[in-house]
Amino acid sequence: EFFRELLENAERSLNDMFVRTYGMLYMQNSEVFQDLFTELKRYYTGGNVNLEEMLNDFWARLLERMFQLINPQYHFTEDYLECVSKYTDQLKPFGDVPRKLKVQVTRAFIAARTFVQGLTVGREVANRVSKVSPTPGCIRALMKMLYCPYCRGLPTVKPCNNYCLNVMKGCLANQADLDTEWNLFIDAMLLVAERLEGPFNIESVMDPIDVKISEAIMNMQENSMQVSAKVFQGCGQPKPAPALRSSRSVPENFNTRFRPYNPEERPTTAAGTSLDRLVTDIKEKLKLSKKFWSTLPYTICKDERVTAGPSIEEDCWNGHTKARYLPEIMNDGLTNQINNPEVDVDITRPDTFIRQQIMALRVMTNKLKNAYNGNDVNFQDTSDETSGSGSGSGCTDDICPTEFDFVTTEAPPVDSDRREVEASATQPGRSLQTLLVIFISLILQRQWR
């Protein structure tokens, strides 16, 4: 919303300034400027807009309109005006403003759009992964950890911390494999955030855009005679306008110079919130989310509602009785669970759904790296991304969260000798599944809000 409001304020500021300065002359040609902001908004919301071509077209159209205003004694056909627009780069009627503005606008908008898209992808990946259903092996382990103390007459004894860690590392083995790509994604987000604070700051580009365009128009006014002479030489001598128009000189109002707003006159965004403060706040939250998936078992198991805590090693439930938990703690990730003493994990069957989320993060990380270097990224075709090819991407509509709509994989088949156990555990299994999802969701909300 901040960026949308920023664009609207910049457009309103330019419109107010130009109306005050040129009055009817501006109002008669205002669609040129309105189209500029319409295209900028369309690009930001994911539209298929080539920023450089769009800006080139804006300056060409502006040259056509101004050329007619400074030469009211002539009649110009559409073909003649098309010829005039071809001289935009050669004559540089607006000075160096178009070139500088093109560099600033393209870099700022590429960085801003990609950054916002990255936030959307990160949130959606986290939300989707948090809703992945536990495997049957995980549900059995959770039942043993949380319910068996009651069966043994130890209702007040909570699970040992290390015991909980092995259960959670087995349950969240596939999620832990997200960690490497997640950390690379967060690092790329932080790099683009630095750009938004520095040379690619969209606020510092858009806030004075009215003054920059007015400077370009003044350059055109000052060089109007030389520009006209060169255009007449290249495009031919135009026909005189009808008598009524030929008697008119350059409108007096057109020679009025622009004046920039005073700072207090400029509209503010989000109740005065600056981009720097916004990005600083987001950066802190991004840093906190690094290594989220590998530390998730530790975050869950240190919760006093789940375990006895790391400091209590003797008076806790170890899966069999009230005593110290002796097995070693497993390392993170799917392949390290082959000897997990608490959870049966099939390391040969990676969760396809989570692997798709890893690919989504990888694709987004590549876009962020491109944006960091000032290169545009394609937000058009999402079909390749979902197939894992890594090409194409992004928001095709105003709503981005649907970019990575994947189909969840089914739970691994249950061995025949375990079906009876699973059938008897159906009801507690459902509650345990809900409990695990709730815990992960609550942690995500705290760190990714």
Side-chain angles (χ1 to χ4, degrees), residues 127-249:
N127 287 340
R128 289 187 176 107
V129 173
S130 72
K131 296 172 184 175
V132 172
S133 299
T135 63
C138 171
I139 293 176
R140 282 193 300 274
L142 285 171
M143 286 179 61
K144 181 180 177 182
M145 183 177 79
L146 296 176
Y147 285 99
C148 285
Y150 293 87
C151 303
R152 296 295 177 88
L154 303 170
T156 61
V157 179
K158 293 183 178 180
C160 299
N161 185 72
N162 290 352
Y163 174 35
C164 174
L165 286 175
N166 273 343
V167 172
M168 289 299 120
K169 282 178 180 260
C171 285
L172 302 172
N174 281 283
Q175 286 86 334
D177 284 344
L178 274 165
D179 213 51
T180 299
E181 205 61 51
W182 178 267
N183 293 337
L184 291 173
F185 162 72
I186 296 297
D187 287 338
M189 287 288 290
L190 291 171
L191 285 175
V192 176
E194 290 178 5
R195 291 296 204 199
L196 289 174
E197 292 177 315
F200 296 4
N201 187 317
I202 192 172
E203 190 173 33
S204 64
V205 171
M206 293 306 299
D207 190 51
I209 196 170
D210 50 359
V211 178
K212 293 177 181 179
I213 293 176
S214 73
E215 179 186 341
I217 292 176
M218 285 189 283
N219 287 332
M220 173 69 177
Q221 289 177 265
E222 292 170 356
N223 300 309
S224 59
M225 294 184 65
Q226 298 93 312
V227 170
S228 297
K230 289 181 179 179
V231 170
F232 294 160
Q233 183 179 356
C235 298
Q237 189 69 24
K239 296 180 180 180
L244 183 62
R245 288 196 63 190
S246 61
S247 62
R248 294 166 53 193
S249 58

Side-chain angles (χ1 to χ4, degrees), residues 5-19 26 37 41 210 261 266-269:
E5 193 176 348
L6 183 67
L7 286 173
E8 290 172 359
N9 284 343
E11 182 176 12
R12 186 161 58 248
S13 177
L14 182 144
N15 184 71
D16 291 347
M17 174 191 280
F18 280 36
V19 167
Y26 165 71
F37 284 96
K41 291 174 187 175
D210 50 359
Y261 277 157
R266 290 187 178 277
T268 58
T269 59

Side-chain angles (χ1 to χ4, degrees), residues 58-310:
F58 164 74
W59 292 111
R61 290 179 64 194
L62 186 58
L63 174 60
E64 291 178 13
R65 299 298 179 93
M66 287 198 62
F67 193 77
Q68 295 177 82
L69 290 173
I70 62 177
N71 294 285
Q73 67 273 31
Y74 295 108
H75 171 70
F76 299 102
T77 64
E78 290 296 324
D79 290 340
Y80 195 96
L81 291 175
E82 186 176 345
C83 178
V84 172
S85 66
K86 293 178 181 178
Y87 280 82
T88 307
D89 292 334
Q90 180 181 338
L91 298 177
K92 291 184 169 45
F94 300 110
D96 204 31
V97 174
R99 183 191 65 81
K100 290 181 178 178
L101 199 60
K102 179 161 64 176
V103 172
Q104 294 169 345
V105 167
T106 52
R107 287 182 173 181
F109 272 77
I110 289 168
R113 184 172 80 163
T114 310
F115 186 74
V116 172
Q117 179 69 8
L119 290 174
T120 300
V121 170
R123 184 188 69 233
E124 291 301 310
V125 166
N127 287 340
R128 289 187 176 107
V129 173
S130 72
K131 296 172 184 175
V132 172
S133 299
T135 63
C138 171
I139 293 176
R140 282 193 300 274
L142 285 171
M143 286 179 61
K144 181 180 177 182
M145 183 177 79
L146 296 176
Y147 285 99
C148 285
Y150 293 87
C151 303
R152 296 295 177 88
L154 303 170
T156 61
V157 179
K158 293 183 178 180
C160 299
N161 185 72
N162 290 352
Y163 174 35
C164 174
L165 286 175
N166 273 343
V167 172
M168 289 299 120
K169 282 178 180 260
C171 285
L172 302 172
N174 281 283
Q175 286 86 334
D177 284 344
L178 274 165
D179 213 51
T180 299
E181 205 61 51
W182 178 267
N183 293 337
L184 291 173
F185 162 72
I186 296 297
D187 287 338
M189 287 288 290
L190 291 171
L191 285 175
V192 176
E194 290 178 5
R195 291 296 204 199
L196 289 174
E197 292 177 315
F200 296 4
N201 187 317
I202 192 172
E203 190 173 33
S204 64
V205 171
M206 293 306 299
D207 190 51
I209 196 170
D210 50 359
V211 178
K212 293 177 181 179
I213 293 176
S214 73
E215 179 186 341
I217 292 176
M218 285 189 283
N219 287 332
M220 173 69 177
Q221 289 177 265
E222 292 170 356
N223 300 309
S224 59
M225 294 184 65
Q226 298 93 312
V227 170
S228 297
K230 289 181 179 179
V231 170
F232 294 160
Q233 183 179 356
C235 298
Q237 189 69 24
K239 296 180 180 180
L244 183 62
R245 288 196 63 190
S246 61
S247 62
R248 294 166 53 193
S249 58
V250 178
E252 291 182 6
N253 284 345
F254 190 70
N255 289 321
T256 305
R257 288 182 175 271
F258 287 88
R259 69 170 185 86
Y261 277 157
N262 293 322
E264 60 269 16
E265 292 179 355
R266 290 187 178 277
T268 58
T269 59
T273 302
S274 69
L275 180 62
D276 288 338
R277 275 184 289 171
L278 207 59
V279 171
T280 298
D281 182 56
I282 294 173
K283 281 173 63 178
E284 291 305 312
K285 292 179 179 178
L286 287 172
K287 290 174 183 177
L288 290 174
S289 70
K290 281 200 71 173
K291 298 184 178 180
F292 172 82
W293 301 105
S294 60
T295 59
L296 188 55
Y298 297 89
T299 307
I300 293 174
C301 291
K302 73 179 181 181
D303 194 308
E304 61 182 12
R305 293 170 295 178
V306 180
T307 69

